Amino acid sequence: MEDVQKSQASIAMPIDRVGVKGLRLPIVVRDRESGTQHTVAEVSLSVDLPAQFKGTHMSRFIEALEHWEHALDYNSFRTLLDDVAERLQARNAHVRFEFPYFLRRRSPVSGANGMMDYACRVDGYLKDGRLTFTLGADVPVMTVCPCSKAISDEGAHSQRAEVRIRTRFDGFVWLEDLIEIAERAGSCQVYSLLKREDEKYVTETAFANPTFVEDVVRETAKGLSEHPKIKWFKVEVESFESIHNHSAFAVIESQPA
């Protein structure tokens, strides 16, 4: 049968990335407490396309996933990227997995257990045989505005913020490490289950530790920079303001190692 994808492109222009996204796949990730955790990822895969080719072979991305072992770690990720590049005859390949990661959190006073989910992601970019591997987590925290607290006779405005971490590292880093660094940076940790005594604790703890979005991003960056294995990071904090019709945000990116 005719291979139309390999025919001459009418516009001879290289494409940086072409591929598929929105795929859902069961995967296994490493869990510090239990060893492994089963979850579901949304996957995107892409490659570069030289100027002379009309198109890429989309079915080969799916074939690569079907032959992959579904256990998400550095070595298996490298294997998947190598396979994608080989099947598509590409110099560069990119794979992204976005998935919920679950941790059971104990409420601070009552000790009641509740499951928290964190949006995590892994990116792999294979360029000329060299793999760049990035691990990330989006972590909710509570913040209380220091300015509002300082100028108000009663109370202060508080809101949920999200700490978005992206890291590169040597060796192995637990997702729990990233999550815990972020949670320590806010006015207080966020929980899924709070009894009245827990809510009292969270409110009082947060109001005793007011934080601007700038404080949260700096504290997170400090924690990441002190991690012995992390060699590069980018952290963005977005505060979903409760008294404004907009968000506040702050970003810190480290220098490449």
Side-chain angles (χ1 to χ4, degrees):
M1 297 178 69
E2 182 182 1
D3 190 346
V4 178
Q5 285 90 337
K6 280 196 172 182
S7 63
Q8 187 70 36
S10 58
I11 300 175
M13 183 181 296
I15 297 176
D16 296 326
R17 288 185 184 178
V18 56
V20 296
K21 64 180 181 179
L23 296 162
R24 292 189 180 274
L25 189 75
I27 62 169
V28 181
V29 295
R30 294 183 66 176
D31 183 314
R32 191 170 66 188
E33 181 177 344
S34 305
T36 58
Q37 181 176 137
H38 293 259
T39 185
V40 175
E42 185 165 304
V43 186
S44 64
L45 306 97
S46 60
V47 294
D48 65 312
L49 186 68
Q52 67 269 26
F53 294 133
K54 185 176 182 63
T56 193
H57 295 80
M58 299 295 183
S59 64
R60 296 180 185 177
F61 292 109
I62 313 303
E63 290 173 337
L65 277 179
E66 284 298 311
H67 285 83
W68 184 60
E69 61 187 48
H70 294 201
L72 188 57
D73 59 37
Y74 181 90
N75 291 329
S76 70
F77 213 61
R78 175 65 192 247
T79 299
L80 176 58
L81 280 160
D82 284 336
D83 191 25
V84 169
E86 182 178 352
R87 287 175 186 271
L88 278 298
Q89 299 177 351
R91 289 179 58 190
N92 308 326
H94 176 259
V95 177
R96 173 177 295 167
F97 285 78
E98 297 176 288
F99 55 92
Y101 186 74
F102 296 91
L103 292 177
R104 191 171 299 281
R105 293 306 203 194
R106 187 178 295 275
S107 300
V109 179
S110 69
N113 284 318
M115 193 70 78
M116 285 282 294
D117 67 288
Y118 302 87
C120 296
R121 87 184 208 185
V122 175
D123 282 89
Y125 182 46
L126 188 67
K127 182 176 182 180
D128 296 326
R130 181 184 177 188
L131 173 60
T132 301
F133 183 87
T134 306
L135 178 68
D138 299 345
V139 183
V141 297
M142 180 182 176
T143 59
V144 172
C145 176
C147 179
S148 177
K149 182 180 177 183
I151 64 177
S152 301
D153 292 331
E154 291 187 26
H157 80 82
S158 60
Q159 55 275 314
R160 190 155 46 90
E162 188 170 72
V163 183
R164 302 174 188 133
I165 294 173
R166 305 291 180 262
T167 60
R168 298 180 191 136
F169 44 85
D170 288 337
F172 179 80
V173 171
W174 293 103
L175 282 168
E176 288 88 341
D177 290 353
L178 308 185
I179 292 167
E180 289 164 4
I181 287 171
E183 287 179 334
R184 289 195 294 267
S187 295
C188 190
Q189 184 175 333
V190 170
Y191 300 86
S192 62
L193 174 59
L194 293 173
K195 308 297 285 184
R196 280 176 298 201
E197 58 268 35
D198 300 309
E199 188 171 344
K200 178 177 184 296
Y201 172 90
V202 167
T203 303
E204 293 176 346
T205 297
F207 274 74
N209 182 37
T211 52
F212 288 126
V213 69
E214 297 93 332
D215 298 317
V216 180
V217 78
R218 285 171 173 148
E219 186 65 30
T220 305
K222 180 176 181 290
L224 294 169
S225 66
E226 292 173 349
H227 193 290
K229 294 183 179 179
I230 292 175
K231 303 305 177 186
W232 170 89
F233 65 82
K234 180 178 180 181
V235 55
E236 176 181 353
V237 180
E238 181 177 0
S239 176
F240 306 105
E241 297 288 283
S242 60
I243 64 170
H244 302 293
N245 190 29
H246 59 260
S247 293
F249 78 99
V251 179
I252 294 177
E253 181 173 356
S254 70
Q255 295 297 315

